[in-house]
């Protein structure tokens, strides 16, 4: 196995992030619920992308890049944190952001993450419905190269092998906290989208020879499609780490029952979950990722799929800044 500590990395994350028990929500749901506060990683208000960017920024530096280019939706948390990391480490930054059909529009284009992207000095390329952000980014990168620039492309969500190493590290952090704080964890639950967080976390657990199940509640794909995406990335990460990729067999679990009509489109259960967490625990979720994941988690508890009195860890991947782009959703 490759020595993980020798892989280039910059320091961004306020780690270790806290692992907190949610007593009032636990009482309502009938399980012992803990939350891993990766909404408090520090960069640009926090979120899971800070861990990925520690490795991506280091790679960009090694390649001599002078400008970061990435893609996402208008309210992308990844774009916000990438813009902040670019400012922090002296890169220029260009964000290629596409509109998302079915989202509330009153504040969507100018508030939340979009406002923060501008404050961090990123140049924003706004695409209309139907335009493909990856095609646009490819053309943009070619233009930048022709102008003598050295662009570094970060894929959606920072979810390639390099970025996912941030959650290999997070898995080690969680395992250390479980031992230090004498906490039992039967399952880890998280929102899964571009796959890097779930795949990295699983790779870290596999490397540590720990078999805690990880359930990814999907925010944009069917169970089968997301499972294939996570599995493929997990195998690539394991290969990079010098671990047999077949160790991924049977480790990826996803549930695609809770994302509604599509990515970023609100659901009644998401709205309810966000409000319940805010009013019971003072905990802010987001409308696109953690809100839908928590809605799924709550429903699985109510149905008995998640056993009563079990010990569950919810990985909070951040994103509450996006609430301000969805203001009208929560005021009705």
């Amino acid at each position: 196995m490759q020595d993980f500590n020798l892989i280039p990395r910059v320091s961004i994350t306020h780690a270790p992030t806290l692992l907190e028990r949610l007593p009032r929500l636990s009482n309502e749901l009938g399980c012992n619920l803990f939350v891993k506060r990766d909404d408090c990683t520090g960069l640009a208000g926090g979120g899971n992308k800070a861990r990925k960017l520690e490795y991506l920024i280091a790679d960009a530096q090694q390649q001599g890049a002078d400008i970061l280019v990435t893609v996402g939706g208008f309210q992308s948390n990844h774009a916000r944190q990438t813009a902040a990391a670019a400012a922090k480490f002296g890169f220029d930054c260009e964000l290629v952001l596409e509109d998302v059909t079915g989202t509330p529009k009153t504040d969507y284009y100018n508030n939340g993450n979009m406002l923060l992207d501008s404050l961090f000095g990123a140049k924003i390329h706004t695409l209309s419905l139907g335009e493909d952000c990856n095609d646009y980014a490819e053309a943009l990168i070619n233009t930048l190269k022709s102008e003598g620039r050295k662009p570094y492309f970060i894929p959606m969500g920072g979810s390639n092998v390099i970025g996912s190493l941030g959650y290999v590290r997070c898995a080690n952090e969680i395992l250390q906290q479980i031992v230090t704080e004498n906490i039992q964890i039967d399952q880890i639950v998280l929102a899964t989208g571009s796959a890097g967080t779930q795949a990295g976390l699983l790779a870290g657990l596999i490397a540590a020879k720990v078999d805690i199940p990880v359930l990814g509640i999907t925010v944009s794909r069917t169970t089968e499609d997301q499972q294939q995406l996570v599995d493929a990335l997990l195998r690539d990460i394991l290969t990079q780490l010098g671990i047999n990729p077949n160790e991924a067999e049977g480790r990826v679990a996803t549930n695609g029952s809770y994302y509604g009509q599509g990515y970023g489109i609100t659901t009644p259960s998401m709205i309810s979950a966000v409000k319940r967490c805010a009013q019971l625990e003072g905990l802010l979720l987001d409308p696109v990722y953690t809100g839908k994941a928590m809605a799924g988690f709550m429903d699985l508890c109510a149905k008995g799929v998640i056993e009563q009195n079990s010990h569950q860890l919810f990985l909070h991947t951040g994103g509450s800044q996006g609430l301000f782009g969805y203001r009208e959703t929560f005021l009705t």
Side-chain angles (χ1 to χ4, degrees), residues 64-79:
D66 60 9
I67 184 168
L68 306 182
V69 177
T70 197
V71 297
F74 277 15
Q75 286 294 331
S76 167
N77 298 305
H78 163 67

Side-chain angles (χ1 to χ4, degrees), residues 171-191:
N172 294 331
E173 184 176 302
I174 291 171
L175 293 175
Q176 290 173 8
Q177 288 177 307
I178 289 173
V179 172
T180 302
E181 301 176 31
N182 193 27
I183 295 171
Q184 176 186 343
I185 296 297
D186 298 316
Q187 179 176 245
I188 299 171
V189 180
L190 74 162

Side-chain angles (χ1 to χ4, degrees), residues 10 12 53 56-69 82-94 120-123 149-152 154:
V10 299
I12 297 175
L53 285 161
L56 292 162
I57 293 293
D59 192 50
Q61 289 176 334
Q62 285 211 319
Q63 294 191 28
D66 60 9
I67 184 168
L68 306 182
V69 177
T82 299
K88 182 177 179 66
F89 289 92
F91 294 94
D92 289 334
C93 182
E94 303 217 8
F120 293 128
K123 181 177 180 180
R149 302 301 300 275
K150 296 180 179 178
Y152 182 86
I154 299 177

Side-chain angles (χ1 to χ4, degrees), residues 155-171:
M156 190 170 291
S159 291
N160 57 11
V161 170
I162 295 170
S164 299
L165 295 175
Y167 273 86
V168 176
R169 177 174 289 274
C170 182

Side-chain angles (χ1 to χ4, degrees), residues 12 14 23 25 61 103 112 140 162 181 200 210 216 251 258 266 300:
I12 297 175
H14 295 180
L25 197 54
Q61 289 176 334
T103 51
L140 173 62
I162 295 170
E181 301 176 31
V210 173
R251 293 299 296 263
Y258 300 100
T266 62
L300 293 172

